[in-house]
Amino acid sequence: IELRNPATGLLSGYVECTSPVELAAAVGRAREAQKAWYRTSYSNRARIIARFHDLVLDNSARVFDTIQSETGKSRRDALAELVTVAGTARYYLAHGERFLSARRKKGAIPLITRSVLAYRPHGLVGLITPWNYPFLLTVGDALPALLAGNAVFVKPSEWTPLSAALGKSLLVDSGLDPNLLTIVQGGPEVGSEVIRHVDYIAFTGGTVTGRKVAVAAAERLIPFSLELGGKNPMIVLKDAPLEHAAAALVAGAFSNAGQTCIAVERVYVEAPVFDRFANLVADSASKIKVGWSQSFDLDMGSMIHATRAGGVQDRVDNAIRSGASVLAGGRRRSDLGEAFVEPTVLAQVGQKDPIAVEETFGPVVSL
């Protein structure tokens, strides 16, 4: 797989696709490694994750460069991934042992029987992860599974596989057996193969693929979790602190170029404060600095691909044709690159228009 920076078009690297034979062999190695990993103490597992936490921070520039090279996102959005991964490590290091400890429960017959709630690892956990947070949603999601005594298979997006590979290398440098974290590369067919082998599957991505993952997991009767799309609302009441609300909206709508499943895409504002709030948001959105930089001087980078940027622009154009007004943005920035779209604020959007009811997954918000 050839990888290019969507912001610049420059070559970022290559990865080799994983064949079914290679994947099956890795499963055998992972299961053997997991048996020994589970037998080791929690404190030994935690020491490795603690070293990883420190190593990630020590190698922050390398992490930023890798994330940016395959996503085109801004340096500050890459920083958000690193901070969240480090925070995830610290959280589970602080609380994981307590979460996993056995608990006494009431027995079926008082005084005669007793019951203990004990936790055991699934064994082999599979993660199928998306392109929008390629470091956070791969290595970050693997950390609690590893601490709980599992081996992990990660199938990152074929658009952003380099960050997962870097995450594994940092974990191995921290002392992790490389067979405990396997990165498999390729498209949907590789993801399907992962589901055939693991004991638990976690999927983050679109609803259409999520349904397929659910069916495949159900056929094998393995547990699974799905984190899919959303069309997230914000409500602004007339007595709200409007400056704070506007700042929160701009952060919630335009971070990571709006390519976040929890991004705010629609806002309901009480009529007496609508105009003032709209002006605040439009003014802030118009000041967002967009472009490509490996420094912290810009606010928002590119979208993941030119086709994605084109799809977002088509949806904005359709809304305008249906009567929506543009308060800020509204255009692609081909002068910056084919994958750039301005932070866009719309009003008077028809309540049944696609941009009002379907996930846009781009830097667009409708008031």
Side-chain angles (χ1 to χ4, degrees):
I1 301 174
E2 180 183 273
L3 304 163
R4 292 188 176 274
N5 185 330
T8 65
L10 297 177
L11 183 68
S12 301
Y14 300 89
V15 295
E16 293 291 334
C17 291
T18 305
S19 72
V21 173
E22 291 170 326
L23 193 150
V27 166
R29 295 192 297 270
R31 291 199 179 280
E32 284 301 311
Q34 188 271 330
K35 293 175 185 177
W37 179 240
Y38 176 51
R39 287 194 298 267
T40 193
S41 66
Y42 179 88
S43 61
N44 285 335
R45 298 199 293 268
R47 272 194 287 272
I48 292 174
I49 303 304
R51 285 197 292 268
F52 168 77
H53 167 274
D54 295 344
L55 199 60
V56 163
L57 297 179
D58 291 341
N59 287 268
S60 59
R62 182 181 172 198
V63 174
F64 298 155
D65 289 345
T66 302
I67 294 172
Q68 286 191 281
S69 75
E70 58 185 0
T71 63
K73 66 174 62 180
S74 70
R75 197 77 163 181
R76 64 178 56 192
D77 284 331
L79 169 64
E81 290 201 52
L82 182 143
V83 168
T84 309
V85 168
T88 298
R90 291 176 67 88
Y91 177 81
Y92 285 104
L93 287 169
H95 302 290
E97 189 169 20
R98 175 170 56 85
F99 291 160
L100 296 172
S101 61
R103 295 170 174 79
R104 291 287 299 273
K105 297 291 183 178
K106 290 182 178 180
I109 304 174
L111 304 179
I112 298 177
T113 63
R114 64 189 181 92
S115 179
V116 177
L117 174 62
Y119 293 92
R120 300 287 182 266
H122 289 289
L124 183 54
V125 168
L127 304 176
I128 300 176
T129 62
W131 46 260
N132 57 335
Y133 291 95
F135 191 70
L136 166 59
L137 295 178
T138 53
V139 65
D141 281 4
L143 294 180
L146 290 168
L147 268 173
N150 297 282
V152 181
F153 262 52
V154 178
K155 205 298 283 184
S157 168
E158 58 272 33
W159 286 359
T160 56
L162 301 177
S163 297
L166 173 59
K168 174 175 178 172
S169 72
L170 292 174
L171 276 163
V172 171
D173 290 346
S174 302
L176 186 74
D177 181 339
N179 291 317
L180 289 170
L181 180 59
T182 302
I183 311 296
V184 294
Q185 306 286 11
E189 68 286 348
V190 178
S192 298
E193 192 69 15
V194 169
I195 299 173
R196 291 185 57 245
H197 290 280
V198 298
D199 306 307
Y200 180 102
I201 188 71
F203 171 79
T204 305
T207 303
V208 172
T209 304
R211 288 194 179 98
K212 297 176 182 178
V213 171
V215 169
E219 287 179 346
R220 293 196 55 229
L221 291 178
I222 62 170
F224 63 93
S225 64
L226 306 175
E227 185 180 355
L228 308 178
K231 189 68 177 175
N232 308 300
M234 179 179 181
I235 299 172
V236 181
L237 303 180
K238 61 185 178 183
D239 56 352
L242 296 186
E243 291 81 4
H244 293 299
L249 173 58
V250 169
F254 302 124
S255 294
N256 207 44
Q259 300 171 119
T260 307
C261 62
I262 58 172
V264 179
E265 292 199 4
R266 55 195 173 117
V267 189
Y268 299 93
V269 188
E270 281 203 281
V273 297
F274 185 95
D275 290 342
R276 183 174 169 227
F277 181 75
N279 289 335
L280 288 169
V281 173
D283 182 62
S284 294
S286 65
K287 293 177 181 176
I288 292 174
K289 292 178 285 187
V290 182
W292 166 253
S293 173
Q294 288 184 294
S295 299
F296 288 95
D297 54 336
L298 296 179
D299 303 312
M300 195 179 92
S302 76
M303 297 192 66
I304 190 64
H305 199 278
T307 56
R308 291 272 180 170
V312 169
Q313 189 62 51
D314 287 346
R315 184 163 284 186
V316 170
D317 292 342
N318 288 335
I320 294 170
R321 283 193 291 269
S322 297
S325 59
V326 178
L327 305 184
R331 299 178 297 123
R332 287 181 75 173
R333 289 295 303 275
S334 299
D335 56 316
L336 300 174
E338 290 301 311
F340 286 90
V341 176
E342 288 181 326
T344 298
V345 182
L346 302 177
Q348 286 85 46
V349 170
Q351 293 191 25
K352 294 185 179 180
D353 285 354
I355 205 164
V357 296
E358 298 174 9
E359 187 175 33
T360 302
F361 218 68
V364 181
V365 65
S366 301
L367 309 183

